[in-house]
Amino acid sequence: QVQLQESGPGLVKPSETLSLTCSVSGYSISSGLYWGWIRQPPGKGLEWIGSVYRSGSTYYNPSLKSRVIVSLDTSRNQFSLKLTSVTAADMAVYYCASGIVIPTSRFDYWGQGILVTVSS
Amino acid sequence: QSALTQPPSASGSPGQSITISCTGTSSDVGGYNYVSWFQQHPGKAPKLMIYEVSKRPSGVPDRFSGSKSGNTASLTVSGLQAEDEGDYYCSSYAGSNNVVFGGGTKLTVV
């Protein structure tokens, strides 16, 4: 069974870079599927941030593309998110998720989520 | 890109059927048979309920069904149960390797 677990700082200062890691168990990320991130501001809906395929090819939400990097670490069976120049608008629960995302928008597996607060 | 449009809320009594809509454009919902639906309970991660418009993952009750007509996709929950209460989100492929979500619908079982 595929299991995902987010980790990283729960507090980031404005203008700094948000960095999160998702550890995967039960499946080798180099075997297939898309691995990525979705966020949910408090009390609001879901927003796809971006995903990376096992080949390393990346796919990003156009509205965030200039600030986002999603990458794989196959040696650790992890993948990560970097979001630069954060503002209060980036405060959200960040979920790592995987599935056959492109093109089906199918996210089968989800982490429990991690709340990231943006504040000085 | 704009989020897909969902009604903010929906409600039904136990045993009844309820349908939640998800309206997009010909560039997303209407252009591809790649609509998914997710259920989210408070404080929990979303759960995939429907993919590719009408397919159910293993373990999802057949009370949940999906369909699409034109630019609008729909999720129908039949035989409503108390445990079906929660938020529901649709997603769709939007072309150019892009995915878009709906704003969410809060389903209440009264």
Side-chain angles (χ1 to χ4, degrees):
Chain A
Q1 180 174 341
V2 182
Q3 294 187 314
L4 288 72
Q5 177 69 57
E6 305 89 349
S7 61
L11 179 64
V12 182
K13 292 181 169 57
S15 79
E16 295 192 344
T17 296
L18 180 161
S19 296
L20 297 175
T21 298
C22 184
S23 299
V24 180
S25 59
Y27 193 91
S28 170
I29 63 174
S30 59
S31 295
L33 299 181
Y34 291 77
W35 308 90
W37 298 88
I38 292 161
R39 69 181 183 180
Q40 184 172 36
K44 296 188 178 181
L46 302 170
E47 180 180 35
W48 176 66
I49 298 171
S51 298
V52 57
Y53 189 54
R54 60 173 178 170
S55 63
S57 296
T58 52
Y59 309 88
Y60 298 130
N61 183 325
S63 66
L64 296 169
K65 185 175 183 178
S66 64
R67 298 194 292 131
V68 173
I69 297 175
V70 179
S71 59
L72 297 173
D73 184 345
T74 54
S75 65
R76 297 185 179 187
N77 215 40
Q78 297 175 336
F79 61 99
S80 64
L81 167 70
K82 290 190 186 301
L83 179 66
T84 62
S85 304
V86 301
T87 69
D90 295 310
M91 176 173 167
V93 174
Y94 284 75
Y95 294 100
C96 57
S98 70
I100 307 172
V101 176
I102 304 295
T104 71
S105 78
R106 174 181 172 178
F107 299 89
D108 294 75
Y109 309 104
W110 295 70
Q112 65 185 25
I114 182 169
L115 174 62
V116 178
T117 300
V118 178
S119 175
S120 56
Chain B
Q1 64 180 27
S2 299
L4 306 175
T5 300
Q6 298 182 234
S9 62
S11 63
S13 300
Q16 288 186 332
S17 293
I18 190 81
T19 297
I20 298 171
S21 62
C22 170
T23 301
T25 69
S26 59
S27 297
D28 38 61
V29 174
Y32 310 93
N33 288 322
Y34 293 136
V35 175
S36 296
W37 288 92
F38 303 87
Q39 176 192 65
Q40 185 179 36
H41 290 134
K44 300 294 187 181
K47 174 186 176 183
L48 179 68
M49 304 301 284
I50 296 287
Y51 66 97
E52 292 179 25
V53 176
S54 59
K55 298 178 181 178
R56 277 188 312 276
S58 174
V60 173
D62 60 6
R63 303 185 293 103
F64 291 84
S65 62
S67 62
K68 191 186 84 167
S69 178
N71 297 337
T72 299
S74 299
L75 172 72
T76 297
V77 185
S78 305
L80 270 175
Q81 299 182 4
E83 67 212 49
D84 299 331
E85 192 165 281
D87 295 325
Y88 289 81
Y89 294 90
C90 61
S91 69
S92 174
Y93 183 62
S96 302
N97 298 321
N98 188 22
V99 172
V100 63
F101 279 95
T105 298
K106 182 177 184 63
L107 174 61
T108 302
V109 181
V110 296

mmCIF file of all heavy atoms in Angstrom, chain B residues 35-83:
data_model
loop_
_atom_site.group_PDB
_atom_site.id
_atom_site.type_symbol
_atom_site.label_atom_id
_atom_site.label_comp_id
_atom_site.label_asym_id
_atom_site.label_seq_id
_atom_site.Cartn_x
_atom_site.Cartn_y
_atom_site.Cartn_z
ATOM 1 N N VAL B 35 -12.259 13.828 -15.565
ATOM 2 C CA VAL B 35 -12.800 14.488 -14.382
ATOM 3 C C VAL B 35 -12.722 13.512 -13.213
ATOM 4 O O VAL B 35 -13.087 12.343 -13.344
ATOM 5 C CB VAL B 35 -14.259 14.929 -14.588
ATOM 6 C CG1 VAL B 35 -14.833 15.507 -13.290
ATOM 7 C CG2 VAL B 35 -14.361 15.952 -15.716
ATOM 8 N N SER B 36 -12.220 14.009 -12.095
ATOM 9 C CA SER B 36 -12.161 13.223 -10.864
ATOM 10 C C SER B 36 -12.979 13.916 -9.785
ATOM 11 O O SER B 36 -13.208 15.135 -9.841
ATOM 12 C CB SER B 36 -10.719 13.074 -10.375
ATOM 13 O OG SER B 36 -9.933 12.356 -11.295
ATOM 14 N N TRP B 37 -13.400 13.129 -8.812
ATOM 15 C CA TRP B 37 -14.128 13.654 -7.652
ATOM 16 C C TRP B 37 -13.457 13.145 -6.383
ATOM 17 O O TRP B 37 -13.037 11.986 -6.310
ATOM 18 C CB TRP B 37 -15.581 13.198 -7.676
ATOM 19 C CG TRP B 37 -16.417 13.847 -8.724
ATOM 20 C CD1 TRP B 37 -16.650 13.407 -9.997
ATOM 21 C CD2 TRP B 37 -17.154 15.069 -8.590
ATOM 22 N NE1 TRP B 37 -17.472 14.277 -10.664
ATOM 23 C CE2 TRP B 37 -17.814 15.298 -9.818
ATOM 24 C CE3 TRP B 37 -17.344 15.991 -7.551
ATOM 25 C CZ2 TRP B 37 -18.630 16.403 -10.042
ATOM 26 C CZ3 TRP B 37 -18.154 17.081 -7.769
ATOM 27 C CH2 TRP B 37 -18.788 17.290 -8.999
ATOM 28 N N PHE B 38 -13.400 14.050 -5.388
ATOM 29 C CA PHE B 38 -12.758 13.747 -4.116
ATOM 30 C C PHE B 38 -13.701 14.080 -2.973
ATOM 31 O O PHE B 38 -14.428 15.079 -3.018
ATOM 32 C CB PHE B 38 -11.456 14.550 -3.961
ATOM 33 C CG PHE B 38 -10.479 14.312 -5.079
ATOM 34 C CD1 PHE B 38 -10.546 15.068 -6.233
ATOM 35 C CD2 PHE B 38 -9.512 13.334 -4.972
ATOM 36 C CE1 PHE B 38 -9.666 14.843 -7.291
ATOM 37 C CE2 PHE B 38 -8.621 13.091 -6.011
ATOM 38 C CZ PHE B 38 -8.705 13.856 -7.174
ATOM 39 N N GLN B 39 -13.657 13.262 -1.936
ATOM 40 C CA GLN B 39 -14.411 13.489 -0.699
ATOM 41 C C GLN B 39 -13.409 13.885 0.377
ATOM 42 O O GLN B 39 -12.344 13.268 0.491
ATOM 43 C CB GLN B 39 -15.118 12.194 -0.285
ATOM 44 C CG GLN B 39 -15.868 12.247 1.023
ATOM 45 C CD GLN B 39 -16.272 10.856 1.484
ATOM 46 O OE1 GLN B 39 -15.446 10.011 1.797
ATOM 47 N NE2 GLN B 39 -17.576 10.597 1.507
ATOM 48 N N GLN B 40 -13.755 14.893 1.162
ATOM 49 C CA GLN B 40 -12.879 15.314 2.246
ATOM 50 C C GLN B 40 -13.676 15.510 3.520
ATOM 51 O O GLN B 40 -14.615 16.294 3.562
ATOM 52 C CB GLN B 40 -12.142 16.613 1.888
ATOM 53 C CG GLN B 40 -11.117 17.033 2.931
ATOM 54 C CD GLN B 40 -10.384 18.303 2.558
ATOM 55 O OE1 GLN B 40 -10.944 19.214 1.970
ATOM 56 N NE2 GLN B 40 -9.091 18.366 2.903
ATOM 57 N N HIS B 41 -13.286 14.800 4.545
ATOM 58 C CA HIS B 41 -13.872 14.995 5.870
ATOM 59 C C HIS B 41 -13.023 15.990 6.638
ATOM 60 O O HIS B 41 -11.822 16.149 6.351
ATOM 61 C CB HIS B 41 -13.968 13.657 6.604
ATOM 62 C CG HIS B 41 -14.990 12.735 6.025
ATOM 63 N ND1 HIS B 41 -14.752 11.390 5.781
ATOM 64 C CD2 HIS B 41 -16.272 12.958 5.633
ATOM 65 C CE1 HIS B 41 -15.840 10.847 5.264
ATOM 66 N NE2 HIS B 41 -16.769 11.773 5.158
ATOM 67 N N PRO B 42 -13.613 16.694 7.618
ATOM 68 C CA PRO B 42 -12.886 17.741 8.352
ATOM 69 C C PRO B 42 -11.565 17.254 8.918
ATOM 70 O O PRO B 42 -11.507 16.213 9.573
ATOM 71 C CB PRO B 42 -13.870 18.117 9.465
ATOM 72 C CG PRO B 42 -15.209 17.815 8.896
ATOM 73 C CD PRO B 42 -15.012 16.582 8.056
ATOM 74 N N GLY B 43 -10.511 18.025 8.632
ATOM 75 C CA GLY B 43 -9.201 17.695 9.156
ATOM 76 C C GLY B 43 -8.508 16.532 8.496
ATOM 77 O O GLY B 43 -7.434 16.120 8.950
ATOM 78 N N LYS B 44 -9.092 16.002 7.429
ATOM 79 C CA LYS B 44 -8.524 14.838 6.756
ATOM 80 C C LYS B 44 -8.096 15.175 5.334
ATOM 81 O O LYS B 44 -8.500 16.184 4.773
ATOM 82 C CB LYS B 44 -9.549 13.697 6.705
ATOM 83 C CG LYS B 44 -10.011 13.238 8.071
ATOM 84 C CD LYS B 44 -8.881 12.607 8.859
ATOM 85 C CE LYS B 44 -9.393 11.996 10.166
ATOM 86 N NZ LYS B 44 -8.275 11.399 10.958
ATOM 87 N N ALA B 45 -7.273 14.307 4.758
ATOM 88 C CA ALA B 45 -6.885 14.463 3.370
ATOM 89 C C ALA B 45 -8.045 14.051 2.457
ATOM 90 O O ALA B 45 -8.872 13.213 2.829
ATOM 91 C CB ALA B 45 -5.663 13.610 3.069
ATOM 92 N N PRO B 46 -8.111 14.647 1.277
ATOM 93 C CA PRO B 46 -9.127 14.214 0.309
ATOM 94 C C PRO B 46 -8.946 12.746 -0.068
ATOM 95 O O PRO B 46 -7.852 12.198 0.016
ATOM 96 C CB PRO B 46 -8.866 15.128 -0.893
ATOM 97 C CG PRO B 46 -8.209 16.334 -0.313
ATOM 98 C CD PRO B 46 -7.353 15.794 0.794
ATOM 99 N N LYS B 47 -10.049 12.138 -0.498
ATOM 100 C CA LYS B 47 -10.061 10.736 -0.933
ATOM 101 C C LYS B 47 -10.659 10.670 -2.331
ATOM 102 O O LYS B 47 -11.721 11.249 -2.587
ATOM 103 C CB LYS B 47 -10.896 9.905 0.029
ATOM 104 C CG LYS B 47 -11.092 8.457 -0.412
ATOM 105 C CD LYS B 47 -12.053 7.728 0.508
ATOM 106 C CE LYS B 47 -12.329 6.305 0.006
ATOM 107 N NZ LYS B 47 -13.326 5.606 0.854
ATOM 108 N N LEU B 48 -10.000 9.967 -3.223
ATOM 109 C CA LEU B 48 -10.492 9.807 -4.591
ATOM 110 C C LEU B 48 -11.747 8.945 -4.597
ATOM 111 O O LEU B 48 -11.728 7.821 -4.085
ATOM 112 C CB LEU B 48 -9.403 9.173 -5.451
ATOM 113 C CG LEU B 48 -9.767 8.905 -6.915
ATOM 114 C CD1 LEU B 48 -9.934 10.207 -7.688
ATOM 115 C CD2 LEU B 48 -8.694 8.036 -7.581
ATOM 116 N N MET B 49 -12.822 9.467 -5.191
ATOM 117 C CA MET B 49 -14.084 8.740 -5.254
ATOM 118 C C MET B 49 -14.448 8.323 -6.680
ATOM 119 O O MET B 49 -15.073 7.280 -6.890
ATOM 120 C CB MET B 49 -15.210 9.614 -4.681
ATOM 121 C CG MET B 49 -14.973 10.114 -3.275
ATOM 122 S SD MET B 49 -14.746 8.803 -2.079
ATOM 123 C CE MET B 49 -16.426 8.231 -1.866
ATOM 124 N N ILE B 50 -14.115 9.174 -7.643
ATOM 125 C CA ILE B 50 -14.430 8.922 -9.056
ATOM 126 C C ILE B 50 -13.258 9.431 -9.893
ATOM 127 O O ILE B 50 -12.681 10.473 -9.579
ATOM 128 C CB ILE B 50 -15.705 9.668 -9.492
ATOM 129 C CG1 ILE B 50 -16.933 9.159 -8.739
ATOM 130 C CG2 ILE B 50 -15.915 9.574 -11.016
ATOM 131 C CD1 ILE B 50 -17.426 7.769 -9.159
ATOM 132 N N TYR B 51 -12.896 8.707 -10.940
ATOM 133 C CA TYR B 51 -11.915 9.198 -11.891
ATOM 134 C C TYR B 51 -12.388 8.920 -13.312
ATOM 135 O O TYR B 51 -13.269 8.084 -13.519
ATOM 136 C CB TYR B 51 -10.532 8.587 -11.628
ATOM 137 C CG TYR B 51 -10.441 7.096 -11.873
ATOM 138 C CD1 TYR B 51 -9.956 6.601 -13.068
ATOM 139 C CD2 TYR B 51 -10.844 6.184 -10.896
ATOM 140 C CE1 TYR B 51 -9.867 5.232 -13.299
ATOM 141 C CE2 TYR B 51 -10.764 4.818 -11.110
ATOM 142 C CZ TYR B 51 -10.269 4.350 -12.315
ATOM 143 O OH TYR B 51 -10.195 2.997 -12.549
ATOM 144 N N GLU B 52 -11.814 9.628 -14.246
ATOM 145 C CA GLU B 52 -12.203 9.513 -15.661
ATOM 146 C C GLU B 52 -13.718 9.542 -15.803
ATOM 147 O O GLU B 52 -14.317 8.684 -16.452
ATOM 148 C CB GLU B 52 -11.595 8.249 -16.268
ATOM 149 C CG GLU B 52 -10.077 8.348 -16.381
ATOM 150 C CD GLU B 52 -9.434 7.095 -16.965
ATOM 151 O OE1 GLU B 52 -10.097 6.362 -17.701
ATOM 152 O OE2 GLU B 52 -8.244 6.871 -16.669
ATOM 153 N N VAL B 53 -14.313 10.544 -15.189
ATOM 154 C CA VAL B 53 -15.737 10.894 -15.246
ATOM 155 C C VAL B 53 -16.623 9.950 -14.441
ATOM 156 O O VAL B 53 -17.470 10.404 -13.666
ATOM 157 C CB VAL B 53 -16.251 10.962 -16.707
ATOM 158 C CG1 VAL B 53 -17.772 11.226 -16.731
ATOM 159 C CG2 VAL B 53 -15.526 12.043 -17.495
ATOM 160 N N SER B 54 -16.462 8.638 -14.637
ATOM 161 C CA SER B 54 -17.451 7.721 -14.078
ATOM 162 C C SER B 54 -16.877 6.438 -13.485
ATOM 163 O O SER B 54 -17.641 5.539 -13.124
ATOM 164 C CB SER B 54 -18.468 7.343 -15.166
ATOM 165 O OG SER B 54 -17.805 6.722 -16.266
ATOM 166 N N LYS B 55 -15.564 6.329 -13.384
ATOM 167 C CA LYS B 55 -14.960 5.097 -12.868
ATOM 168 C C LYS B 55 -14.728 5.207 -11.359
ATOM 169 O O LYS B 55 -14.340 6.258 -10.863
ATOM 170 C CB LYS B 55 -13.631 4.827 -13.592
ATOM 171 C CG LYS B 55 -13.794 4.604 -15.090
ATOM 172 C CD LYS B 55 -12.458 4.379 -15.768
ATOM 173 C CE LYS B 55 -12.645 4.176 -17.264
ATOM 174 N NZ LYS B 55 -11.347 3.999 -17.966
ATOM 175 N N ARG B 56 -14.987 4.108 -10.666
ATOM 176 C CA ARG B 56 -14.796 4.085 -9.215
ATOM 177 C C ARG B 56 -13.559 3.300 -8.849
ATOM 178 O O ARG B 56 -13.386 2.157 -9.293
ATOM 179 C CB ARG B 56 -16.005 3.436 -8.525
ATOM 180 C CG ARG B 56 -17.182 4.317 -8.272
ATOM 181 C CD ARG B 56 -18.222 3.579 -7.406
ATOM 182 N NE ARG B 56 -18.502 2.232 -7.908
ATOM 183 C CZ ARG B 56 -19.380 1.980 -8.869
ATOM 184 N NH1 ARG B 56 -20.050 2.970 -9.414
ATOM 185 N NH2 ARG B 56 -19.577 0.734 -9.280
ATOM 186 N N PRO B 57 -12.702 3.872 -7.985
ATOM 187 C CA PRO B 57 -11.565 3.082 -7.485
ATOM 188 C C PRO B 57 -12.078 1.929 -6.632
ATOM 189 O O PRO B 57 -13.200 1.975 -6.104
ATOM 190 C CB PRO B 57 -10.786 4.083 -6.631
ATOM 191 C CG PRO B 57 -11.256 5.432 -7.066
ATOM 192 C CD PRO B 57 -12.671 5.248 -7.490
ATOM 193 N N SER B 58 -11.256 0.925 -6.467
ATOM 194 C CA SER B 58 -11.605 -0.203 -5.615
ATOM 195 C C SER B 58 -11.913 0.281 -4.204
ATOM 196 O O SER B 58 -11.192 1.116 -3.647
ATOM 197 C CB SER B 58 -10.434 -1.188 -5.578
ATOM 198 O OG SER B 58 -10.676 -2.218 -4.665
ATOM 199 N N GLY B 59 -13.014 -0.215 -3.656
ATOM 200 C CA GLY B 59 -13.384 0.142 -2.295
ATOM 201 C C GLY B 59 -14.383 1.270 -2.173
ATOM 202 O O GLY B 59 -14.946 1.479 -1.090
ATOM 203 N N VAL B 60 -14.608 2.011 -3.235
ATOM 204 C CA VAL B 60 -15.608 3.084 -3.194
ATOM 205 C C VAL B 60 -16.993 2.480 -3.460
ATOM 206 O O VAL B 60 -17.177 1.775 -4.465
ATOM 207 C CB VAL B 60 -15.293 4.174 -4.230
ATOM 208 C CG1 VAL B 60 -16.431 5.191 -4.301
ATOM 209 C CG2 VAL B 60 -13.988 4.869 -3.877
ATOM 210 N N PRO B 61 -17.955 2.745 -2.579
ATOM 211 C CA PRO B 61 -19.290 2.142 -2.754
ATOM 212 C C PRO B 61 -19.927 2.539 -4.075
ATOM 213 O O PRO B 61 -19.715 3.657 -4.582
ATOM 214 C CB PRO B 61 -20.080 2.726 -1.580
ATOM 215 C CG PRO B 61 -19.060 3.149 -0.574
ATOM 216 C CD PRO B 61 -17.863 3.569 -1.363
ATOM 217 N N ASP B 62 -20.727 1.627 -4.632
ATOM 218 C CA ASP B 62 -21.377 1.930 -5.905
ATOM 219 C C ASP B 62 -22.527 2.922 -5.743
ATOM 220 O O ASP B 62 -23.206 3.247 -6.720
ATOM 221 C CB ASP B 62 -21.846 0.646 -6.593
ATOM 222 C CG ASP B 62 -22.847 -0.155 -5.763
ATOM 223 O OD1 ASP B 62 -23.269 0.347 -4.708
ATOM 224 O OD2 ASP B 62 -23.183 -1.284 -6.171
ATOM 225 N N ARG B 63 -22.730 3.413 -4.541
ATOM 226 C CA ARG B 63 -23.684 4.512 -4.340
ATOM 227 C C ARG B 63 -23.171 5.800 -4.964
ATOM 228 O O ARG B 63 -23.949 6.735 -5.199
ATOM 229 C CB ARG B 63 -23.920 4.745 -2.837
ATOM 230 C CG ARG B 63 -24.410 3.530 -2.095
ATOM 231 C CD ARG B 63 -24.755 3.839 -0.644
ATOM 232 N NE ARG B 63 -23.597 4.200 0.172
ATOM 233 C CZ ARG B 63 -23.288 5.432 0.526
ATOM 234 N NH1 ARG B 63 -24.036 6.446 0.136
ATOM 235 N NH2 ARG B 63 -22.235 5.671 1.282
ATOM 236 N N PHE B 64 -21.879 5.845 -5.220
ATOM 237 C CA PHE B 64 -21.257 7.018 -5.828
ATOM 238 C C PHE B 64 -21.105 6.792 -7.331
ATOM 239 O O PHE B 64 -20.553 5.769 -7.760
ATOM 240 C CB PHE B 64 -19.884 7.281 -5.211
ATOM 241 C CG PHE B 64 -19.942 7.735 -3.782
ATOM 242 C CD1 PHE B 64 -20.037 6.813 -2.748
ATOM 243 C CD2 PHE B 64 -19.918 9.090 -3.463
ATOM 244 C CE1 PHE B 64 -20.104 7.228 -1.420
ATOM 245 C CE2 PHE B 64 -19.982 9.512 -2.149
ATOM 246 C CZ PHE B 64 -20.074 8.578 -1.126
ATOM 247 N N SER B 65 -21.613 7.729 -8.110
ATOM 248 C CA SER B 65 -21.496 7.603 -9.559
ATOM 249 C C SER B 65 -21.222 8.965 -10.174
ATOM 250 O O SER B 65 -21.555 10.004 -9.600
ATOM 251 C CB SER B 65 -22.768 6.999 -10.161
ATOM 252 O OG SER B 65 -23.878 7.837 -9.912
ATOM 253 N N GLY B 66 -20.587 8.953 -11.328
ATOM 254 C CA GLY B 66 -20.246 10.186 -12.011
ATOM 255 C C GLY B 66 -20.707 10.180 -13.453
ATOM 256 O O GLY B 66 -20.863 9.122 -14.066
ATOM 257 N N SER B 67 -20.917 11.386 -13.976
ATOM 258 C CA SER B 67 -21.330 11.526 -15.364
ATOM 259 C C SER B 67 -20.879 12.889 -15.874
ATOM 260 O O SER B 67 -20.375 13.725 -15.114
ATOM 261 C CB SER B 67 -22.853 11.383 -15.498
ATOM 262 O OG SER B 67 -23.504 12.414 -14.768
ATOM 263 N N LYS B 68 -21.065 13.098 -17.178
ATOM 264 C CA LYS B 68 -20.694 14.379 -17.765
ATOM 265 C C LYS B 68 -21.588 14.669 -18.963
ATOM 266 O O LYS B 68 -21.927 13.766 -19.738
ATOM 267 C CB LYS B 68 -19.227 14.344 -18.220
ATOM 268 C CG LYS B 68 -18.652 15.702 -18.599
ATOM 269 C CD LYS B 68 -17.248 15.580 -19.179
ATOM 270 C CE LYS B 68 -17.289 15.263 -20.660
ATOM 271 N NZ LYS B 68 -15.965 15.453 -21.314
ATOM 272 N N SER B 69 -21.951 15.938 -19.073
ATOM 273 C CA SER B 69 -22.693 16.391 -20.242
ATOM 274 C C SER B 69 -22.155 17.762 -20.624
ATOM 275 O O SER B 69 -22.261 18.710 -19.834
ATOM 276 C CB SER B 69 -24.192 16.477 -19.940
ATOM 277 O OG SER B 69 -24.889 16.970 -21.060
ATOM 278 N N GLY B 70 -21.570 17.832 -21.799
ATOM 279 C CA GLY B 70 -20.990 19.099 -22.230
ATOM 280 C C GLY B 70 -19.885 19.553 -21.301
ATOM 281 O O GLY B 70 -18.960 18.804 -20.994
ATOM 282 N N ASN B 71 -20.010 20.776 -20.811
ATOM 283 C CA ASN B 71 -18.998 21.349 -19.930
ATOM 284 C C ASN B 71 -19.263 21.128 -18.453
ATOM 285 O O ASN B 71 -18.578 21.705 -17.605
ATOM 286 C CB ASN B 71 -18.867 22.856 -20.197
ATOM 287 C CG ASN B 71 -18.386 23.173 -21.597
ATOM 288 O OD1 ASN B 71 -17.746 22.344 -22.249
ATOM 289 N ND2 ASN B 71 -18.717 24.358 -22.082
ATOM 290 N N THR B 72 -20.263 20.315 -18.140
ATOM 291 C CA THR B 72 -20.637 20.070 -16.742
ATOM 292 C C THR B 72 -20.535 18.590 -16.381
ATOM 293 O O THR B 72 -21.125 17.742 -17.039
ATOM 294 C CB THR B 72 -22.058 20.563 -16.459
ATOM 295 O OG1 THR B 72 -22.129 21.977 -16.685
ATOM 296 C CG2 THR B 72 -22.460 20.281 -15.014
ATOM 297 N N ALA B 73 -19.780 18.334 -15.329
ATOM 298 C CA ALA B 73 -19.702 16.990 -14.765
ATOM 299 C C ALA B 73 -20.552 16.944 -13.509
ATOM 300 O O ALA B 73 -20.822 17.975 -12.884
ATOM 301 C CB ALA B 73 -18.252 16.655 -14.422
ATOM 302 N N SER B 74 -20.988 15.750 -13.160
ATOM 303 C CA SER B 74 -21.854 15.587 -11.990
ATOM 304 C C SER B 74 -21.451 14.368 -11.169
ATOM 305 O O SER B 74 -21.048 13.342 -11.725
ATOM 306 C CB SER B 74 -23.322 15.435 -12.419
ATOM 307 O OG SER B 74 -23.766 16.580 -13.116
ATOM 308 N N LEU B 75 -21.585 14.517 -9.875
ATOM 309 C CA LEU B 75 -21.398 13.409 -8.930
ATOM 310 C C LEU B 75 -22.747 13.148 -8.280
ATOM 311 O O LEU B 75 -23.358 14.079 -7.740
ATOM 312 C CB LEU B 75 -20.370 13.769 -7.866
ATOM 313 C CG LEU B 75 -20.226 12.768 -6.716
ATOM 314 C CD1 LEU B 75 -19.532 11.496 -7.208
ATOM 315 C CD2 LEU B 75 -19.454 13.381 -5.546
ATOM 316 N N THR B 76 -23.206 11.916 -8.336
ATOM 317 C CA THR B 76 -24.458 11.544 -7.696
ATOM 318 C C THR B 76 -24.170 10.575 -6.560
ATOM 319 O O THR B 76 -23.428 9.610 -6.745
ATOM 320 C CB THR B 76 -25.435 10.898 -8.695
ATOM 321 O OG1 THR B 76 -25.769 11.864 -9.707
ATOM 322 C CG2 THR B 76 -26.713 10.459 -7.993
ATOM 323 N N VAL B 77 -24.731 10.879 -5.409
ATOM 324 C CA VAL B 77 -24.635 9.978 -4.265
ATOM 325 C C VAL B 77 -26.033 9.448 -3.992
ATOM 326 O O VAL B 77 -26.950 10.238 -3.693
ATOM 327 C CB VAL B 77 -24.072 10.689 -3.027
ATOM 328 C CG1 VAL B 77 -23.861 9.695 -1.890
ATOM 329 C CG2 VAL B 77 -22.773 11.421 -3.347
ATOM 330 N N SER B 78 -26.228 8.164 -4.146
ATOM 331 C CA SER B 78 -27.526 7.544 -3.925
ATOM 332 C C SER B 78 -27.578 6.920 -2.546
ATOM 333 O O SER B 78 -26.535 6.537 -1.999
ATOM 334 C CB SER B 78 -27.781 6.464 -4.992
ATOM 335 O OG SER B 78 -27.648 6.996 -6.286
ATOM 336 N N GLY B 79 -28.777 6.809 -1.989
ATOM 337 C CA GLY B 79 -28.911 6.192 -0.674
ATOM 338 C C GLY B 79 -28.025 6.881 0.351
ATOM 339 O O GLY B 79 -27.233 6.232 1.030
ATOM 340 N N LEU B 80 -28.180 8.191 0.460
ATOM 341 C CA LEU B 80 -27.328 8.981 1.343
ATOM 342 C C LEU B 80 -27.209 8.373 2.740
ATOM 343 O O LEU B 80 -28.207 7.917 3.326
ATOM 344 C CB LEU B 80 -27.886 10.397 1.470
ATOM 345 C CG LEU B 80 -27.415 11.460 0.492
ATOM 346 C CD1 LEU B 80 -28.189 12.754 0.712
ATOM 347 C CD2 LEU B 80 -25.920 11.681 0.571
ATOM 348 N N GLN B 81 -25.970 8.426 3.241
ATOM 349 C CA GLN B 81 -25.709 7.967 4.595
ATOM 350 C C GLN B 81 -25.007 9.087 5.359
ATOM 351 O O GLN B 81 -24.375 9.968 4.766
ATOM 352 C CB GLN B 81 -24.840 6.712 4.564
ATOM 353 C CG GLN B 81 -25.478 5.531 3.840
ATOM 354 C CD GLN B 81 -24.615 4.283 3.867
ATOM 355 O OE1 GLN B 81 -23.543 4.239 4.481
ATOM 356 N NE2 GLN B 81 -25.096 3.225 3.200
ATOM 357 N N ALA B 82 -25.116 9.023 6.669
ATOM 358 C CA ALA B 82 -24.527 10.069 7.501
ATOM 359 C C ALA B 82 -23.033 10.240 7.218
ATOM 360 O O ALA B 82 -22.499 11.351 7.207
ATOM 361 C CB ALA B 82 -24.749 9.746 8.975
ATOM 362 N N GLU B 83 -22.360 9.142 6.921
ATOM 363 C CA GLU B 83 -20.912 9.191 6.684
ATOM 364 C C GLU B 83 -20.549 9.862 5.359
ATOM 365 O O GLU B 83 -19.372 10.136 5.110
ATOM 366 C CB GLU B 83 -20.358 7.763 6.678
ATOM 367 C CG GLU B 83 -20.823 6.911 5.517
ATOM 368 C CD GLU B 83 -20.941 5.439 5.873
ATOM 369 O OE1 GLU B 83 -21.552 5.134 6.916
ATOM 370 O OE2 GLU B 83 -20.420 4.621 5.108
#
